[in-house]
Amino acid sequence: MLLYSARYIQNQLKISGIKHYNADYEKIWYNLMTNKYYIKTFGCQMNEYDSEKIGGVLSKKNQLTETSAPEDADLIILNTCSIREKAEVKVFSDLGRFRELKEKKPSLRIAVGGCVASQEGENIIKRAPYVDLVFGPQSLHRVSELLNKREISGKPQIDITFPEIEKFDHIPIINKNRASASVSIMEGCSKYCSFCVVPFTRGEEISRHLEGILNEIVRLTFNGVSEITLLGQNVNAYRGKMDNGEIADFSLLLEYVAEIKEIKRIRFTTSHPNEMTDNLIKCFGSIDKLAKTIHLPIQSGSDRVLSAMKRNYTTLEYKSIIRKIRRVCPEISLTSDFIIGFPNETDNEFESTIKIMKDLEFDYSFSFLYSPRPGTPASYIEDSIPNEVKQQRLEELQNINVSQGKAYTQSMQGTSQRVLFDHYSKKNKDVLLGKTDNNRIVEANADSGLLNKFVNVKVAKTDTKNLQIGSLIS
Ligand code: SAH
Ligand code: F3S
């Protein structure tokens, strides 16, 4: 068994703001530092990224190791999402299950992080008093400090503030061998769409320093990363400070990332139509490393609904952006988000959404039933549309979406595609899997020697999901 030095423990005390050493604390930290954490992530890629960072903080500062079994854990963390109602309901039902584990093992600690934590704050402790920690997406770098404080005080700890210091300066780089990784470049959203809770749970847009991002990417390349996904609620709203004091926009950031030799493909998500500058659009023609795909949420094909949603663009403006992108990159795959059943959406308005989905030939997209979120302006609108109607509309749109996606896949037969093969199939160890720019899965033989390599392949055959390689081009 490892023993931790008094100095180390004193340091931990300092981090936690505890001034006086007490022998009991030694026992507390000894227990904490030999423990395991289990983390469950809900929601978007940002949350996946945050979870990895929470794990990084806990292993660096508290020497905790990860387990995939909640029963073995001494600390359970739910990194939550509140974008739609069901996500929250799932959190509370999971908490109920973990409560039973805690009854059997009272030393178990339970933490709720992410957007539900931000939204509900101390209500979580009121509703589930066995929860020990509540922290928001902007205070995740403090999870270790909060855990230590919980041990000393014996009381639940809550921190859902949006601190001014950059959380990114306080979270460790994760050393893990892999070919593809994500990097968060900005946080939050200042757009305040009338239906959306994100500006309230993640705060207003803040961009990371350009050099901090580039450093993180270069460090990731040391571990074999050759594909990078730049993450943010609105990545193209990026306005990050540079060391020389000037501000870099998203297109400049892309140019810098493309200069990193080891990076062979760049993806980004999500972007906002109102931030699609001409400079950014040009990047699709000038930066070869940029994946030829863009996810650009439209939400609705009706101008009345878009205005009620406070999206601040019209369908004509959206179409004009797409026309410009396709002019510089005709083969680009376009995906989107659609909200169906926004309060008082009429049949005609819904038909406009169907029409725009067909006209713009969207590839596989995401569609959601509108979910009223607490405190958002849209949640106060009286709605006359019955749920069954909304459900039917969603189904209709999703059927069209699937058939358009399939047609897109079929059109790829015989084409040349850039693929990064980065993992073996879970079902069949003889199969190596990779992805094209537009996220189609391509199969190769496990012994092809292609693991973690970018290659151009000719697509021989397509089925509804996967593509089979015909021949390697280069
Ligand atoms: N920044 C992105 C949105 C990120 S949130 C943008 O440009 O719009 C991801 C998606 O969740 C949104 O695009 C929207 O389609 C969906 N969404 C957000 N709030 C929702 C709500 N209250 N009900 C249903 N879907 C919602
Ligand atoms: Fe939400 Fe609109 Fe921002 S959907 S994340 S408020 S752009």
Side-chain angles (χ1 to χ4, degrees):
M1 276 209 287
L2 253 174
L3 276 176
Y4 293 87
S5 70
R7 199 153 144 227
Y8 181 84
I9 290 163
Q10 275 168 359
N11 199 25
Q12 291 288 320
L13 292 171
K14 223 164 79 197
I15 294 171
S16 316
I18 308 293
K19 290 195 185 77
H20 305 292
Y21 180 77
N22 173 329
D24 282 347
Y25 298 157
E26 192 161 346
K27 243 190 326 197
I28 291 169
W29 268 287
Y30 178 73
N31 284 337
L32 264 178
M33 288 185 296
T34 51
N35 283 347
K36 295 198 179 80
Y37 71 89
Y38 164 83
I39 188 159
K40 180 167 177 180
T41 309
F42 299 80
C44 64
Q45 274 172 292
M46 290 289 276
N47 264 14
E48 298 282 345
Y49 177 85
D50 283 353
S51 285
E52 195 176 281
K53 295 295 184 190
I54 294 169
V57 171
L58 289 170
S59 67
K60 190 169 170 214
K61 294 199 175 157
N62 297 74
Q63 273 72 45
L64 300 193
T65 51
E66 187 171 5
T67 170
S68 55
E71 312 75 49
D72 293 345
D74 305 279
L75 170 65
I76 290 179
I77 306 145
L78 297 181
N79 191 14
T80 62
C81 165
S82 63
I83 197 94
R84 284 168 294 274
E85 196 170 13
K86 279 207 184 111
E88 267 155 55
V89 176
K90 276 195 218 138
V91 171
F92 281 103
S93 102
D94 273 351
L95 280 177
R97 258 187 329 120
F98 297 142
R99 174 194 199 156
E100 287 168 24
L101 289 179
K102 193 165 181 170
E103 276 162 8
K104 286 189 211 130
K105 183 163 85 175
S107 63
L108 174 66
R109 299 287 171 256
I110 299 177
V112 179
C115 291
V116 175
S118 240
Q119 187 183 292
E120 299 292 322
E122 59 188 37
N123 278 339
I124 295 183
I125 309 274
K126 280 195 194 130
R127 206 167 143 182
Y130 47 90
V131 169
D132 299 283
L133 310 179
V134 175
F135 59 94
Q138 306 295 54
S139 46
L140 63 87
H141 55 289
R142 293 183 179 158
V143 62
S144 160
E145 188 185 322
L146 289 172
L147 183 60
N148 294 347
K149 278 191 178 156
R150 158 67 188 84
E151 292 318 299
I152 290 170
S153 65
K155 290 192 188 121
Q157 299 294 317
I158 304 172
D159 185 349
I160 50 167
T161 53
F162 299 147
E164 290 202 350
I165 48 145
E166 257 205 292
K167 83 173 183 197
F168 298 102
D169 293 341
H170 298 261
I171 47 184
I173 303 260
I174 311 291
N175 286 316
K176 189 163 125 190
N177 284 332
R178 52 188 158 176
S180 182
S182 303
V183 168
S184 171
I185 63 159
M186 55 86 66
E187 277 272 341
C189 182
S190 310
K191 305 281 186 282
Y192 293 92
C193 300
S194 65
F195 53 82
C196 186
V197 80
V198 169
F200 308 104
T201 57
R202 286 194 173 255
E204 298 242 329
E205 285 159 9
I206 357 171
S207 299
R208 282 178 75 178
H209 283 83
L210 182 96
E211 282 79 5
I213 298 170
L214 298 177
N215 266 335
E216 184 168 344
I217 299 176
V218 170
R219 295 272 296 272
L220 286 166
T221 66
F222 298 161
N223 292 317
V225 168
S226 56
E227 174 179 79
I228 205 81
T229 303
L230 305 173
L231 293 180
Q233 297 303 330
N234 290 310
V235 277
N236 52 349
Y238 178 80
R239 307 274 187 279
K241 263 212 183 120
M242 298 192 278
D243 276 353
N244 66 5
E246 287 176 23
I247 302 288
D249 69 1
F250 187 56
S251 58
L252 188 59
L253 172 67
L254 284 178
E255 281 170 26
Y256 276 114
V257 177
E259 299 254 312
I260 303 173
K261 203 171 92 250
E262 292 77 8
I263 295 297
K264 308 280 188 235
R265 182 158 67 190
I266 308 167
R267 300 179 177 280
F268 59 81
T269 196
T270 304
S271 30
H272 193 283
N274 290 351
E275 305 278 0
M276 286 307 295
T277 60
D278 286 346
N279 274 348
L280 175 55
I281 293 174
K282 273 193 216 140
C283 291
F284 281 103
S286 61
I287 303 180
D288 194 42
K289 291 180 178 182
L290 203 54
K292 293 182 176 17
T293 177
I294 182 160
H295 183 73
L296 197 62
I298 182 168
Q299 315 298 1
S300 170
S302 145
D303 285 335
R304 206 268 317 156
V305 175
L306 286 177
S307 156
M309 287 177 167
K310 291 223 175 63
R311 292 290 291 178
N312 284 322
Y313 53 81
T314 61
T315 49
L316 199 64
E317 282 163 336
Y318 185 92
K319 282 185 195 161
S320 132
I321 296 166
I322 303 306
R323 207 173 311 118
K324 284 194 211 161
I325 301 176
R326 284 184 169 153
R327 205 175 297 141
V328 292
C329 182
E331 67 273 46
I332 199 152
S333 121
L334 170 67
T335 63
S336 203
D337 289 344
F338 294 85
I339 294 181
I340 302 303
F342 188 79
N344 306 318
E345 176 192 57
T346 64
D347 274 338
N348 277 344
E349 286 164 349
F350 170 67
E351 286 308 322
S352 311
T353 302
I354 295 276
K355 184 164 179 334
I356 209 156
M357 179 178 242
K358 289 182 181 166
D359 287 353
L360 288 179
E361 299 179 324
F362 284 100
D363 196 356
Y364 283 116
S365 294
F366 297 96
S367 41
F368 313 101
L369 264 196
Y370 165 74
S371 163
R373 302 287 63 217
T376 56
S379 68
Y380 300 103
I381 307 174
E382 291 262 339
D383 188 6
S384 58
I385 314 292
N387 263 337
E388 306 81 74
V389 173
K390 295 185 181 193
Q391 281 290 352
Q392 272 165 14
R393 286 179 184 166
L394 183 68
E395 214 171 290
E396 186 181 336
L397 185 98
Q398 286 182 337
N399 288 338
I400 295 168
N401 178 36
V402 169
S403 67
Q404 287 190 185
K406 281 185 187 162
Y408 202 101
T409 311
Q410 271 160 20
S411 74
M412 290 168 75
Q413 188 154 336
T415 60
S416 158
Q417 297 289 330
R418 163 171 57 179
V419 180
L420 168 63
F421 287 98
D422 65 348
H423 65 286
Y424 292 100
S425 157
K426 278 195 188 121
K427 284 194 211 128
N428 182 353
K429 287 272 170 273
D430 295 333
V431 174
L432 185 60
L433 297 174
K435 272 188 186 161
T436 62
D437 274 16
N438 61 341
N439 291 308
R440 296 306 195 278
I441 294 173
V442 184
E443 298 179 2
N445 285 333
D447 55 9
S448 56
L450 293 178
L451 183 66
N452 295 339
K453 293 209 172 109
F454 268 104
V455 280
N456 286 320
V457 302
K458 188 157 176 160
V459 180
K461 223 174 80 196
T462 63
D463 60 28
T464 47
K465 263 179 75 197
N466 295 358
L467 309 177
Q468 317 281 335
I469 303 187
S471 53
L472 278 182
I473 299 172
S474 55

